[in-house]
Amino acid sequence: MALKLHGIPMSTCTTRVLTCLHEKGLDFELVPVNLFAGEHKQPPFLAKNPFGQIPVLEDGDLTLFESRAITAYLAEKYKETGCDLLRHNDLKEAALVKVWLEVESQQYHPAIYQIVYQFFVLPLQGKTADQAIIDVNLEKLGKVLDVYEARLGTTKCLAGDFYSLADLHHLSYTYYFMKTPWASLINSRPNVKAWWEDISSRPAFKKVAEGMTFGEK
């Protein structure tokens, strides 16, 4: 039975999983979820994810939600296929991947999420972005990127001289962030810029990015 991914191509969390699927070269079916009609809040979808959020992965009788958990599952189950995103054969490298996975979710994501949400999502809902919230989170993101700049001065990617799930998890939100007026936060840091240009040019993500029209203004 083919993998089924419930979500939409422009969703940051859906694209996180889509990129992982393409990195692994896996066959899957993308099942569209009509967010504007509230399909994700209806009983059939809530039976798959009680929190009413996309994406959801179905693999036979296993149903998973939360995009980071899904990518970790795929990277583990299909570790022999495509790129080894968790560095299974090296304990130290695997540990560093886990460290930078945590950094993305705990340090990087909270700041960049607020910026992308304020700049893109609220206007779509007919609301006005709060520049004060954007400014606070630009400052937070800048401090995180200072750490990244130092780290990426010693290694090609975050966990080492290899692409991993830690890098992949940065792609979707950074892609949209680079369409905001504040892309200079990335571009003004040479090591971060080189890293971003490298990971965003991978064929798997370029394929996914074709459907990421959410940030077009």
Side-chain angles (χ1 to χ4, degrees):
M1 182 181 295
L3 297 164
K4 287 187 178 181
L5 181 66
H6 299 260
I8 55 175
M10 68 178 65
S11 153
T12 49
C13 294
T14 303
T15 55
R16 184 177 289 133
V17 179
L18 285 171
T19 304
C20 185
L21 287 163
H22 285 302
E23 283 287 354
K24 290 294 182 181
L26 301 173
D27 291 328
F28 67 93
E29 176 188 356
L30 179 61
V31 182
V33 179
N34 191 334
L35 301 184
F36 296 104
E39 184 180 346
H40 56 309
K41 301 299 183 182
Q42 298 304 311
F45 189 85
L46 291 173
K48 304 181 194 305
N49 181 356
F51 296 102
Q53 296 175 322
I54 56 173
V56 168
L57 180 78
E58 290 183 300
D59 183 8
D61 61 357
L62 177 66
T63 300
L64 298 174
F65 51 90
E66 296 296 342
S67 62
R68 292 176 181 83
I70 295 171
T71 59
Y73 167 76
L74 293 170
E76 182 66 41
K77 179 175 180 179
Y78 299 100
K79 59 186 176 184
E80 305 298 336
T81 304
C83 179
D84 182 4
L85 296 169
L86 292 176
R87 308 302 286 185
H88 290 88
N89 295 323
D90 189 306
L91 183 61
K92 290 183 179 180
E93 289 181 353
L96 286 168
V97 172
K98 290 185 175 72
V99 167
W100 287 97
L101 283 169
E102 288 296 315
V103 171
E104 184 277 328
S105 66
Q106 301 298 322
Q107 306 293 333
Y108 189 85
H109 177 77
I112 202 168
Y113 163 80
Q114 287 292 342
I115 299 164
V116 170
Y117 181 79
Q118 290 288 328
F119 188 73
F120 288 122
V121 180
L122 286 183
L124 282 179
Q125 298 175 345
K127 301 175 183 177
T128 303
D130 188 328
Q131 189 61 43
I133 292 176
I134 291 175
D135 290 343
V136 166
N137 284 284
L138 285 170
E139 183 178 357
K140 291 179 180 178
L141 183 61
K143 291 178 179 178
V144 175
L145 289 172
D146 286 341
V147 175
Y148 280 39
E149 179 69 9
R151 171 64 177 171
L152 293 166
T154 61
T155 59
K156 181 181 179 181
C157 291
L158 290 172
D161 292 326
F162 52 84
Y163 179 76
S164 75
L165 201 61
D167 304 295
L168 185 153
H169 279 189
H170 287 77
L171 284 164
S172 52
Y173 271 97
T174 308
Y175 178 83
Y176 285 132
F177 177 78
M178 295 303 286
K179 294 179 178 291
T180 75
W182 307 288
S184 59
L185 262 72
I186 299 288
N187 291 328
S188 64
R189 293 168 169 83
N191 297 328
V192 175
K193 181 181 180 182
W195 164 75
W196 169 246
E197 290 177 347
D198 179 40
I199 66 172
S200 62
S201 66
R202 293 178 67 86
F205 182 68
K206 288 176 72 175
K207 187 170 185 177
V208 172
E210 293 173 1
M212 296 177 71
T213 58
F214 180 64
E216 303 299 332
K217 276 187 170 261

